[in-house]
Short mmCIF file of all heavy atoms in Angstrom, two decimals:
data_model
loop_
_atom_site.label_atom_id
_atom_site.label_comp_id
_atom_site.label_asym_id
_atom_site.label_seq_id
_atom_site.Cartn_x
_atom_site.Cartn_y
_atom_site.Cartn_z
N GLU K 583 34.50 10.89 10.06
CA GLU K 583 35.66 10.02 10.25
C GLU K 583 35.23 8.62 10.67
O GLU K 583 35.84 7.66 10.24
CB GLU K 583 36.55 10.67 11.31
CG GLU K 583 37.83 9.86 11.55
CD GLU K 583 38.79 10.61 12.57
OE1 GLU K 583 38.55 11.76 12.87
OE2 GLU K 583 39.73 9.94 13.04
N ALA K 584 34.20 8.53 11.54
CA ALA K 584 33.78 7.23 11.99
C ALA K 584 33.10 6.40 10.93
O ALA K 584 33.22 5.14 10.93
CB ALA K 584 32.85 7.36 13.19
N PHE K 585 32.38 7.08 10.05
CA PHE K 585 31.61 6.37 8.99
C PHE K 585 31.94 6.94 7.58
O PHE K 585 31.14 7.62 6.97
CB PHE K 585 30.13 6.47 9.31
CG PHE K 585 29.72 5.99 10.62
CD1 PHE K 585 29.37 6.87 11.66
CD2 PHE K 585 29.71 4.60 10.90
CE1 PHE K 585 29.03 6.41 12.91
CE2 PHE K 585 29.40 4.17 12.20
CZ PHE K 585 29.07 5.05 13.18
N PRO K 586 33.15 6.71 7.14
CA PRO K 586 33.65 7.33 5.92
C PRO K 586 32.82 6.97 4.63
O PRO K 586 32.86 7.68 3.69
CB PRO K 586 35.11 6.90 5.81
CG PRO K 586 35.24 5.66 6.58
CD PRO K 586 34.24 5.83 7.69
N GLN K 587 32.13 5.79 4.68
CA GLN K 587 31.40 5.35 3.52
C GLN K 587 29.98 5.94 3.48
O GLN K 587 29.32 5.76 2.49
CB GLN K 587 31.37 3.84 3.51
CG GLN K 587 32.70 3.12 3.52
CD GLN K 587 33.62 3.60 2.38
OE1 GLN K 587 33.20 3.74 1.29
NE2 GLN K 587 34.86 3.90 2.79
N ALA K 588 29.56 6.48 4.56
CA ALA K 588 28.17 7.01 4.62
C ALA K 588 28.03 8.41 3.97
O ALA K 588 29.01 9.23 3.92
CB ALA K 588 27.75 7.10 6.14
N SER K 589 26.89 8.66 3.48
CA SER K 589 26.48 10.00 2.97
C SER K 589 25.95 10.77 4.23
O SER K 589 24.97 10.34 4.76
CB SER K 589 25.49 9.93 1.84
OG SER K 589 26.01 9.20 0.76
N VAL K 590 26.59 11.85 4.53
CA VAL K 590 26.18 12.62 5.71
C VAL K 590 25.42 13.89 5.24
O VAL K 590 25.92 14.67 4.53
CB VAL K 590 27.39 13.01 6.62
CG1 VAL K 590 26.91 13.86 7.78
CG2 VAL K 590 28.11 11.77 7.15
N LEU K 591 24.15 13.97 5.68
CA LEU K 591 23.31 15.11 5.38
C LEU K 591 23.07 15.93 6.58
O LEU K 591 22.65 15.42 7.59
CB LEU K 591 21.93 14.64 4.80
CG LEU K 591 21.96 13.57 3.70
CD1 LEU K 591 20.53 13.12 3.36
CD2 LEU K 591 22.60 14.10 2.44
N VAL K 592 23.38 17.21 6.55
CA VAL K 592 23.17 18.12 7.63
C VAL K 592 21.94 19.03 7.36
O VAL K 592 21.94 19.79 6.46
CB VAL K 592 24.44 19.00 7.91
CG1 VAL K 592 24.18 19.89 9.17
CG2 VAL K 592 25.67 18.10 8.08
N THR K 593 20.87 18.77 8.13
CA THR K 593 19.63 19.44 7.95
C THR K 593 19.24 20.08 9.29
O THR K 593 20.06 20.19 10.23
CB THR K 593 18.55 18.39 7.54
OG1 THR K 593 18.30 17.53 8.68
CG2 THR K 593 18.99 17.63 6.33
N GLY K 594 18.05 20.61 9.35
CA GLY K 594 17.57 21.11 10.67
C GLY K 594 16.33 21.92 10.57
O GLY K 594 15.72 22.04 9.50
N VAL K 595 15.91 22.42 11.67
CA VAL K 595 14.56 23.09 11.84
C VAL K 595 14.69 24.50 12.04
O VAL K 595 13.66 25.24 12.06
CB VAL K 595 13.78 22.43 13.03
CG1 VAL K 595 13.55 20.97 12.88
CG2 VAL K 595 14.57 22.71 14.36
N GLU K 596 15.92 25.06 12.18
CA GLU K 596 16.07 26.46 12.50
C GLU K 596 15.91 27.41 11.29
O GLU K 596 16.02 26.93 10.20
CB GLU K 596 17.41 26.67 13.19
CG GLU K 596 17.58 25.91 14.51
CD GLU K 596 19.00 26.11 15.13
OE1 GLU K 596 19.64 27.13 14.81
OE2 GLU K 596 19.39 25.24 15.94
N ASP K 597 15.66 28.63 11.63
CA ASP K 597 15.61 29.65 10.52
C ASP K 597 16.35 30.89 11.08
O ASP K 597 16.81 30.89 12.26
CB ASP K 597 14.15 29.96 10.20
CG ASP K 597 13.41 30.59 11.39
OD1 ASP K 597 13.50 31.80 11.59
OD2 ASP K 597 12.67 29.84 12.13
N PRO K 598 16.52 31.91 10.28
CA PRO K 598 17.25 33.06 10.74
C PRO K 598 16.79 33.71 12.03
O PRO K 598 17.62 34.44 12.70
CB PRO K 598 17.31 34.03 9.56
CG PRO K 598 17.10 33.08 8.37
CD PRO K 598 16.20 32.02 8.83
N ASP K 599 15.57 33.55 12.46
CA ASP K 599 15.08 34.17 13.64
C ASP K 599 14.76 33.21 14.76
O ASP K 599 14.01 33.48 15.64
CB ASP K 599 13.80 35.00 13.33
CG ASP K 599 13.51 36.06 14.40
OD1 ASP K 599 14.47 36.58 15.02
OD2 ASP K 599 12.35 36.38 14.63
N THR K 600 15.39 32.04 14.70
CA THR K 600 15.17 31.02 15.77
C THR K 600 15.71 31.45 17.15
O THR K 600 15.10 31.14 18.14
CB THR K 600 15.76 29.67 15.29
OG1 THR K 600 15.09 29.17 14.23
CG2 THR K 600 15.75 28.64 16.49
N ARG K 601 16.82 32.12 17.16
CA ARG K 601 17.47 32.58 18.45
C ARG K 601 17.81 31.41 19.33
O ARG K 601 17.43 31.36 20.53
CB ARG K 601 16.60 33.64 19.19
CG ARG K 601 16.21 34.70 18.26
CD ARG K 601 15.34 35.79 19.03
NE ARG K 601 14.77 36.75 18.07
CZ ARG K 601 14.07 37.86 18.45
NH1 ARG K 601 13.90 38.13 19.74
NH2 ARG K 601 13.60 38.67 17.50
N ALA K 602 18.51 30.43 18.74
CA ALA K 602 18.62 29.14 19.35
C ALA K 602 19.31 29.20 20.72
O ALA K 602 18.93 28.47 21.61
CB ALA K 602 19.45 28.24 18.41
N HIS K 603 20.32 30.00 20.92
CA HIS K 603 21.05 30.01 22.22
C HIS K 603 20.65 31.19 23.07
O HIS K 603 21.27 31.41 24.14
CB HIS K 603 22.56 29.95 21.98
CG HIS K 603 23.05 28.59 21.55
ND1 HIS K 603 24.41 28.26 21.55
CD2 HIS K 603 22.42 27.56 21.03
CE1 HIS K 603 24.54 27.06 21.07
NE2 HIS K 603 23.35 26.62 20.75
N GLY K 604 19.73 31.99 22.60
CA GLY K 604 19.39 33.23 23.27
C GLY K 604 18.03 33.12 23.95
O GLY K 604 17.34 32.04 23.91
N ALA K 605 17.58 34.23 24.51
CA ALA K 605 16.22 34.35 25.04
C ALA K 605 15.19 34.29 23.95
O ALA K 605 15.48 34.67 22.75
CB ALA K 605 16.05 35.59 25.86
N ASN K 606 14.06 33.78 24.22
CA ASN K 606 12.92 33.69 23.24
C ASN K 606 13.28 32.85 22.06
O ASN K 606 12.93 33.18 20.90
CB ASN K 606 12.47 35.09 22.80
CG ASN K 606 11.94 35.88 23.99
OD1 ASN K 606 11.09 35.37 24.68
ND2 ASN K 606 12.39 37.13 24.15
N GLU K 607 13.95 31.70 22.31
CA GLU K 607 14.11 30.68 21.23
C GLU K 607 12.79 30.23 20.79
O GLU K 607 11.88 29.96 21.57
CB GLU K 607 14.92 29.54 21.82
CG GLU K 607 15.07 28.36 20.83
CD GLU K 607 15.80 27.15 21.43
OE1 GLU K 607 16.42 27.33 22.55
OE2 GLU K 607 15.81 26.11 20.83
N GLY K 608 12.64 30.20 19.44
CA GLY K 608 11.29 29.81 18.96
C GLY K 608 11.41 28.94 17.65
O GLY K 608 12.28 29.15 16.84
N LEU K 609 10.47 28.08 17.52
CA LEU K 609 10.30 27.22 16.38
C LEU K 609 9.15 27.71 15.49
O LEU K 609 8.05 27.98 15.89
CB LEU K 609 9.97 25.78 16.85
CG LEU K 609 9.65 24.80 15.78
CD1 LEU K 609 10.81 24.43 14.97
CD2 LEU K 609 8.99 23.51 16.37
N HIS K 610 9.52 27.98 14.16
CA HIS K 610 8.47 28.42 13.25
C HIS K 610 7.61 27.14 12.93
O HIS K 610 8.12 26.22 12.29
CB HIS K 610 9.13 28.97 11.98
CG HIS K 610 8.19 29.75 11.08
ND1 HIS K 610 7.30 29.03 10.29
CD2 HIS K 610 7.99 31.06 10.95
CE1 HIS K 610 6.54 29.98 9.66
NE2 HIS K 610 6.97 31.16 9.98
N LEU K 611 6.36 27.16 13.30
CA LEU K 611 5.59 25.95 13.23
C LEU K 611 5.30 25.50 11.79
O LEU K 611 5.30 24.32 11.53
CB LEU K 611 4.29 26.20 14.01
CG LEU K 611 4.47 26.31 15.47
CD1 LEU K 611 3.20 26.89 16.18
CD2 LEU K 611 4.87 24.94 16.12
N ALA K 612 5.06 26.40 10.88
CA ALA K 612 4.78 26.02 9.51
C ALA K 612 6.02 25.38 8.86
O ALA K 612 5.94 24.49 8.09
CB ALA K 612 4.28 27.21 8.70
N GLU K 613 7.21 25.98 9.21
CA GLU K 613 8.42 25.38 8.71
C GLU K 613 8.77 24.01 9.29
O GLU K 613 9.21 23.15 8.57
CB GLU K 613 9.61 26.33 8.93
CG GLU K 613 9.59 27.60 8.06
CD GLU K 613 9.69 27.31 6.61
OE1 GLU K 613 10.80 26.95 6.15
OE2 GLU K 613 8.74 27.45 5.90
N PHE K 614 8.41 23.90 10.57
CA PHE K 614 8.61 22.57 11.18
C PHE K 614 7.77 21.47 10.47
O PHE K 614 8.29 20.39 10.19
CB PHE K 614 8.19 22.63 12.66
CG PHE K 614 8.20 21.28 13.33
CD1 PHE K 614 9.38 20.67 13.61
CD2 PHE K 614 7.01 20.67 13.69
CE1 PHE K 614 9.39 19.39 14.22
CE2 PHE K 614 7.01 19.45 14.36
CZ PHE K 614 8.25 18.75 14.61
N GLU K 615 6.57 21.85 10.10
CA GLU K 615 5.69 20.90 9.35
C GLU K 615 6.37 20.46 8.08
O GLU K 615 6.37 19.27 7.68
CB GLU K 615 4.38 21.52 9.06
CG GLU K 615 3.37 20.64 8.38
CD GLU K 615 2.00 21.24 8.31
OE1 GLU K 615 1.72 22.27 8.99
OE2 GLU K 615 1.15 20.71 7.52
N LYS K 616 7.01 21.44 7.39
CA LYS K 616 7.69 21.13 6.08
C LYS K 616 8.95 20.29 6.35
O LYS K 616 9.32 19.38 5.58
CB LYS K 616 8.12 22.35 5.42
CG LYS K 616 6.84 23.16 4.79
CD LYS K 616 7.33 24.37 3.97
CE LYS K 616 6.21 24.90 3.20
NZ LYS K 616 5.16 25.45 4.01
N VAL K 617 9.65 20.50 7.51
CA VAL K 617 10.80 19.75 7.83
C VAL K 617 10.43 18.23 8.00
O VAL K 617 11.09 17.38 7.47
CB VAL K 617 11.49 20.23 9.12
CG1 VAL K 617 12.49 19.27 9.64
CG2 VAL K 617 12.15 21.59 8.78
N VAL K 618 9.32 18.03 8.73
CA VAL K 618 8.84 16.61 8.92
C VAL K 618 8.47 15.98 7.62
O VAL K 618 8.83 14.84 7.31
CB VAL K 618 7.66 16.60 9.89
CG1 VAL K 618 7.18 15.14 10.03
CG2 VAL K 618 7.99 17.16 11.26
N LEU K 619 7.77 16.76 6.84
CA LEU K 619 7.42 16.29 5.48
C LEU K 619 8.65 15.88 4.62
O LEU K 619 8.71 14.86 4.02
CB LEU K 619 6.57 17.40 4.74
CG LEU K 619 5.82 17.01 3.53
CD1 LEU K 619 4.78 15.94 3.83
CD2 LEU K 619 5.05 18.27 2.99
N ALA K 620 9.63 16.79 4.65
CA ALA K 620 10.80 16.57 3.85
C ALA K 620 11.59 15.36 4.34
O ALA K 620 12.12 14.54 3.50
CB ALA K 620 11.75 17.79 3.94
#
Side-chain angles (χ1 to χ4, degrees):
E583 184 175 348
F585 304 106
Q587 304 306 316
S589 298
V590 177
L591 310 175
V592 183
T593 67
V595 300
E596 297 178 23
D597 65 81
D599 199 32
T600 292
R601 307 182 190 187
H603 287 195
N606 297 312
E607 175 182 349
L609 173 70
H610 194 283
L611 291 166
E613 288 297 287
F614 173 70
E615 184 173 346
K616 289 183 171 63
V617 168
V618 179
L619 193 61

